């Protein structure tokens, strides 16, 4: 079966199903044995991540048996699963619990993320909030919307451009090497204020709905950024890798700067990386 945007409601439904069946029953109920470290004490996986991804993957393969499914936890076990994402006829990326550190800590800032990639282009993105029980949804060329729990659809738009001194933003400098790490941490103080949710799902929501202006990421795993970048772009924003090149599903490095528009992007690129 090929993908068309009439399937977005169905995709949103399976994210909510996974949240209801596998994620929320475990929230603030995890035992020590339900949480494991991956690469560090800040990089965790829980039974909610594993079981939610398993459910979503199974549903996707039932409906799209020939599609490529790239799940965060499956790729953690077998990184080779990422190979070919940029060339696949149809692929889905799945982040079953984005913000696992928050989830494992009992903090209600986490989300379920899914992107649809067709021949190297992201054509749909969904971010589900299991706590608020709503969705942030975009389809290529159709704008970005919040689908509320009560059923209404609200169009969202990025914030209007302002000088950097009036911007709110986030810089994920913890994944950067020196001296860039210290440079960005220092230059971020040029902005009005900052946020750091430890959850790309909610950070992209903040930007796409106009409540913040920019974010800088260095670690570019597709399940973390493909949904949010499309949602942000469809909400009127501009995103590109740090060298100015387009961000594509095949990219896992090169950093990412997300801004309200291209001029703001250029200003931020100049000011945040200033010596």
């Amino acid at each position: 079966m090929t993908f068309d945007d009439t399937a977005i409601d169905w995709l949103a439904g399976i994210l909510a199903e996974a949240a209801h069946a596998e994620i929320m029953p475990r929230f603030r109920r995890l035992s020590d044995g339900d949480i494991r470290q991956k690469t560090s004490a800040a990089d965790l996986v829980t039974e909610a991540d594993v079981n939610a991804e398993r459910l979503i993957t199974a549903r996707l393969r039932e409906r799209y048996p020939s599609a490529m499914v790239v799940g965060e936890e499956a790729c953690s076990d077998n990184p080779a699963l990422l190979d070919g994402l940029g060339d696949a006829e149809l692929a889905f990326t799945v982040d079953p619990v984005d913000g696992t550190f928050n989830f494992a800590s009992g903090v209600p800032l986490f989300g379920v993320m899914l992107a649809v990639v067709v021949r190297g282009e992201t054509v749909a993105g969904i971010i589900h909030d299991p706590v608020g029980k709503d969705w942030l949804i975009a389809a290529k060329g159709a704008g970005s919307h919040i689908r509320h729990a009560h059923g209404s659809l609200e169009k969202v738009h990025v914030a209007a451009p302002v000088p950097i001194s009036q911007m709110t933003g986030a810089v994920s400098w913890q994944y950067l090497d020196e001296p860039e790490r210290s440079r960005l941490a220092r230059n971020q103080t040029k902005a009005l204020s900052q946020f750091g949710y430890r959850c790309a799902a909610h950070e992209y929501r903040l930007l796409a709905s106009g409540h913040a202006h920019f974010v800088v990421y260095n670690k570019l795993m597709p399940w973390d950024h493909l949904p949010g970048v499309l949602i942000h772009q469809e909400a009127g924003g501009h995103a590109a890798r740090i060298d100015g090149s387009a961000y594509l599903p095949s990219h896992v490095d090169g950093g990412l700067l997300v801004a309200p528009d291209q001029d703001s992007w250029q200003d931020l690129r100049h000011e945040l990386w200033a010596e």
Side-chain angles (χ1 to χ4, degrees), residues 38-51:
K38 291 197 283 188
T39 61
S40 72
D43 184 15
L44 306 177
V45 61
T46 74
E47 288 301 299
D49 298 75
V50 172
N51 286 286

Side-chain angles (χ1 to χ4, degrees), residues 5-64:
D5 58 15
T6 61
I8 289 179
D9 288 345
W10 179 82
L11 291 170
I14 66 170
L15 300 191
E17 178 189 357
H20 177 76
E22 303 291 353
I23 298 172
M24 292 309 294
R26 292 180 169 90
F27 183 49
R28 295 178 175 166
R29 296 181 178 89
L30 294 170
S31 66
D32 290 343
D34 293 331
I35 307 170
R36 302 184 300 281
Q37 288 189 21
K38 291 197 283 188
T39 61
S40 72
D43 184 15
L44 306 177
V45 61
T46 74
E47 288 301 299
D49 298 75
V50 172
N51 286 286
E53 181 172 306
R54 188 175 294 141
L55 187 156
I56 294 167
T57 299
R59 295 287 186 270
L60 290 171
R61 288 182 171 151
E62 287 169 4
R63 181 162 175 152
Y64 301 98

